[in-house]
Amino acid sequence: MVGVPDILQAQRGHVIAPAGCGKTELIAKTIVQAEGKPVLVLTHTTAGVAALRQRLHRDGVPASNYRLNTIAGWALTIISMFPERAGYLHDPQNAPNYTAVQNAVGGLCASGAINSEIAATYSRVLVDEYQDCSVSQHLITSGLANAIPTVVFGDPMQAIFGFGGDPLPDWTKQVVPTFPELGRLDIPWRWNNACANDLGAWLLAVRGALEAGQTIDLRTLPSRVAWHPLGADQNANAAAQIALQYDIAKTNPRETILIIGDSMQAVSRHNFASRARGVGVVEPVDLRDVVGDANQMDGKSGQELLDACIGFLIKVMTNVYGDKLNGRVQSILGNRNRTPPTAPEVAATSLVQGGGYIEAVQFLKAMAGDRDRRVYRQSAFNIMVQALQIAMTTPGSSLPAAIAGLREQRRHAGRVIPPKAVGSTLLLKGLEADHVVILDADRPGNAMSKEHLYVALTRGARSVSVFSRSPTLP
């Protein structure tokens, strides 16, 4: 076990932090007890920064005690302050080359050229989620450790992110020699606090087995863990998965559920949400497909804009039936309709008759308000409506630019997760719920690795349900 005194007394080191064992609590307590200058707290994503900030605020940690940033964000700040010393000039008008920026700042920190400035600004460095650090980010942290005390927190069993040309450092050969182990967190607080001590103990044992390269047999599980075999009939599999989710929600109406689907096939996760009423989709921060639809709508009007709106709605809403809707619009315009137009049909007709973004917003809202339809990707729908409203009220603003601005706001504010949400391990890592349902743990061609499996299993505080073909994983 490791505590605050161990961290405050260390010049450099790392803490092994299994999922749900109180890592964020330990970081918060360390910041509170650290004396002198602010603590520099770094992590990887803006969503992670938002989550840490919310937790520190909730725990009453004074903002003056710390400076919180992403590693990439902090590197951009340093490169703007010391471009000559770093030998790298970043043009703020252009998108940053983060790997190049981080390599330059890493070299600067390693050189000792800004040691005095670092020591004059911060008392120490704490880095969260270190298993997701890239080689260039590890270079930065290693350099900072030469100037002020530096402790990193991570779990190599949760290393599921990759950085393309900037890979993860080898934990044993690169991280441990630079930051010796200070200790391990070994109390499964997430499960103990949920009165699920047996599940927490089992998950710690599972972590040890997976780390040792062993498999786990889902037929020998505690009562809170259930294995559901998948068969050859895909429709039957989907029906069983949806039925289980409904059963959990009905039995535990006030508790949250995370549903973990295929990490490579977003469409499969969207299909689940479209069929399972009440389940929302956790969207990736880049909202790539929404940006693509915004590009299709940009500058359009009339029929072209209606077609682009329908193409977007098909991806986020049930029962769109675009061809049928277009047929009804033409009948209404030709006075051939035998039944009065519905609200969505009125809005679509208005849009076809030379309408622009104002009419597009009215159409999207009318479709969402129709009782025969359901928006299952609510955040994607909302951001498109907001972007259209911004584009139509801000002179010179394009729809893609409006989407990009809203996307950046989301990055810094963090995501709102529905009570019942479907996503992938990459999207749900760091989140927790009362229950987790893993839809396809051993899909041929994309079976979960031991790291993805461990991350998935540890999302649920009260129960874990696993669908797979084999009872032995990974």
Side-chain angles (χ1 to χ4, degrees), residues 296-314:
Q296 292 297 314
M297 295 183 198
D298 190 38
K300 301 293 195 317
S301 62
Q303 183 67 55
E304 284 188 313
L305 183 54
L306 174 61
D307 289 342
C309 286
I310 289 173
F312 166 68
L313 288 178
I314 287 171

Side-chain angles (χ1 to χ4, degrees), residues 309-377:
C309 286
I310 289 173
F312 166 68
L313 288 178
I314 287 171
K315 301 174 185 177
V316 303
M317 177 185 289
T318 61
N319 302 330
V320 175
Y321 305 126
D323 290 343
K324 180 179 178 181
L325 179 60
N326 265 317
R328 279 284 292 171
V329 167
Q330 294 307 313
S331 293
I332 293 164
L333 289 173
N335 293 317
R336 299 188 303 273
N337 56 301
R338 296 183 179 181
T339 57
T342 63
E345 291 166 354
V346 170
T349 302
S350 179
L351 177 52
V352 164
Q353 293 178 301
Y357 291 166
I358 293 176
E359 289 75 18
V361 169
Q362 292 171 344
F363 169 66
L364 294 179
K365 288 184 174 180
M367 291 287 280
D370 186 70
R371 65 182 183 181
D372 293 328
R373 299 180 170 95
R374 176 172 59 86
V375 177
Y376 58 87
R377 294 179 62 191

Side-chain angles (χ1 to χ4, degrees), residues 23-353:
K23 176 193 61 178
T24 307
E25 178 80 9
L26 180 58
I27 290 174
K29 288 181 177 179
T30 300
I31 294 171
V32 167
Q33 296 185 36
E35 297 180 350
K37 295 177 285 293
V39 177
L40 175 61
V41 184
L42 299 174
T43 189
H44 295 272
T45 64
T46 50
V49 167
L52 270 173
R53 182 175 286 113
Q54 291 170 3
R55 177 61 181 269
L56 294 172
H57 177 73
R58 190 193 77 182
D59 290 352
V61 181
S64 58
N65 282 31
Y66 61 91
R67 300 291 181 266
L68 178 60
N69 205 341
T70 62
I71 300 174
W74 186 81
L76 280 173
T77 300
I78 295 300
I79 210 74
S80 67
M81 295 171 62
F82 306 105
E84 292 185 4
R85 291 195 217 179
Y88 186 93
L89 182 62
H90 166 62
D91 183 352
Q93 299 300 316
N94 297 325
N97 181 333
Y98 285 109
T99 300
V101 168
Q102 289 169 174
N103 277 323
V105 172
L108 178 63
C109 291
S111 72
I114 58 171
N115 278 5
S116 58
E117 288 87 348
I118 295 296
T121 307
Y122 312 110
S123 63
R124 65 186 62 248
V125 181
L126 304 178
V127 187
D128 194 14
E129 303 288 358
Y130 207 71
Q131 74 279 345
D132 295 326
C133 257
S134 67
V135 167
S136 67
Q137 292 170 339
H138 178 60
L139 182 62
I140 291 174
T141 311
S142 302
L144 287 171
N146 294 329
I148 53 178
T150 301
V151 174
V152 305
F153 301 77
D155 179 8
M157 279 300 299
Q158 296 184 68
I160 63 173
F161 288 96
F163 293 88
D166 191 13
L168 301 179
D170 184 282
W171 188 272
T172 302
K173 296 179 180 179
Q174 294 174 273
V175 174
V176 174
T178 306
F179 298 104
E181 183 176 325
L182 300 178
R184 298 181 176 228
L185 302 179
D186 55 8
I187 299 177
W189 292 110
R190 176 179 298 166
W191 298 275
N192 291 358
N193 291 339
C195 298
N197 303 51
D198 56 338
L199 178 55
W202 179 77
L203 287 167
L204 280 181
V206 162
R207 184 191 178 282
L210 293 174
E211 189 175 35
Q214 301 170 10
T215 59
I216 58 173
D217 189 336
L218 299 177
R219 293 168 297 191
T220 58
L221 306 174
S223 59
R224 296 178 183 273
V225 185
W227 174 55
H228 302 269
L230 291 173
D233 187 333
Q234 295 302 315
N235 288 328
N237 291 338
Q241 291 165 343
I242 292 169
L244 176 67
Q245 182 273 138
Y246 277 136
D247 184 59
I248 294 172
K250 183 179 179 179
T251 306
N252 309 279
R254 297 184 180 180
E255 296 180 354
T256 54
I257 306 172
L258 289 179
I259 299 132
I260 299 181
D262 194 314
S263 61
M264 302 298 292
Q265 296 188 17
V267 172
S268 68
R269 305 194 300 270
H270 298 167
N271 287 341
F272 183 92
S274 72
R275 297 177 62 176
R277 183 172 293 275
V279 173
V281 173
V282 178
E283 302 284 353
V285 176
D286 64 6
L287 290 167
R288 188 173 304 172
D289 65 336
V290 180
V291 171
D293 285 306
N295 289 331
Q296 292 297 314
M297 295 183 198
D298 190 38
K300 301 293 195 317
S301 62
Q303 183 67 55
E304 284 188 313
L305 183 54
L306 174 61
D307 289 342
C309 286
I310 289 173
F312 166 68
L313 288 178
I314 287 171
K315 301 174 185 177
V316 303
M317 177 185 289
T318 61
N319 302 330
V320 175
Y321 305 126
D323 290 343
K324 180 179 178 181
L325 179 60
N326 265 317
R328 279 284 292 171
V329 167
Q330 294 307 313
S331 293
I332 293 164
L333 289 173
N335 293 317
R336 299 188 303 273
N337 56 301
R338 296 183 179 181
T339 57
T342 63
E345 291 166 354
V346 170
T349 302
S350 179
L351 177 52
V352 164
Q353 293 178 301

